[in-house]
Amino acid sequence: NSALQRARATLKQHLPRHRLDWAPDSDPSREERELLQRYMEASERGDAKAMVELLREDAFFAMPPEREWHVGNEKIVEAWVKGGFGDDSWGHLRCVLSGANRQPAVAFYVKRAGDSEYRPLALDVLRIEGGALAEVTAFPLEPLLRALGLPPRL
């Protein structure tokens, strides 16, 4: 019993927030599709200001298996900018709309200086609440390409 109790406590700590609130499979509403489109466009432009506006003030960002996570739209985007977001010397992004865990997702491909193709970078699984992005969980894209039916290069 004690091992089961410890396992439940550990799972509770590591599972995504609001996991019981995940909606069943359904197409995004028109408003959600517009939000997703704006998210992809801001990402491809490297527009940090637009990203802050798309995220809820109390948004949550995680990138498993990294232990670091961020709360707050400005802190999240600040971390992305420190990682190279919006810096042309880091690379240029292209986005493809997808889905994972019954949630909308955006697949990111990056074209680095000297490359002729966009290569897989990350999959952002998104939770939308109240017309804004409440949660972004990013995963390495390459291992997920086949399961998501995404191309290996753009």
Side-chain angles (χ1 to χ4, degrees):
N1 278 343
S2 65
L4 182 58
Q5 289 172 340
R6 286 191 311 272
R8 285 184 179 147
T10 300
L11 283 172
K12 188 175 182 180
Q13 286 178 337
H14 295 286
L15 286 173
R17 297 183 324 154
H18 305 289
R19 65 191 175 279
L20 298 177
D21 295 337
W22 290 350
D25 282 331
S26 64
D27 290 330
S29 69
R30 182 180 57 79
E31 292 83 13
E32 290 171 335
R33 285 191 306 272
E34 289 172 0
L35 176 66
L36 293 168
Q37 186 62 39
R38 290 194 322 265
Y39 182 75
M40 292 190 305
E41 290 169 357
S43 296
E44 289 182 355
R45 287 191 317 266
D47 188 342
K49 183 179 177 186
M51 295 303 275
V52 169
E53 293 172 4
L54 293 169
L55 293 165
R56 285 174 48 119
E57 192 173 306
D58 63 344
F60 176 82
F61 171 76
M63 192 169 56
E66 301 294 324
R67 292 178 183 238
E68 186 177 338
W69 46 269
H70 304 279
V71 175
N73 55 355
E74 292 183 5
K75 289 185 180 190
I76 291 168
V77 175
E78 180 182 312
W80 292 347
V81 168
K82 284 182 184 175
F85 179 77
D87 182 351
D88 287 337
S89 66
W90 178 84
H92 183 262
L93 295 175
R94 278 278 162 84
C95 302
V96 176
L97 190 59
S98 187
N101 291 342
R102 295 187 275 178
Q103 297 177 94
V106 175
F108 288 93
Y109 292 77
V110 64
K111 183 169 131 181
R112 311 263 188 203
D115 282 349
S116 61
E117 298 177 312
Y118 287 82
R119 300 176 188 278
L121 179 65
L123 180 76
D124 283 4
V125 179
L126 308 168
R127 187 167 55 82
I128 299 171
E129 272 184 19
L133 295 168
E135 190 168 319
V136 179
T137 307
F139 299 93
L141 178 58
E142 195 151 17
L144 303 171
L145 291 172
R146 191 170 183 192
L148 297 172
L150 294 169
R153 303 280 189 267
L154 293 181

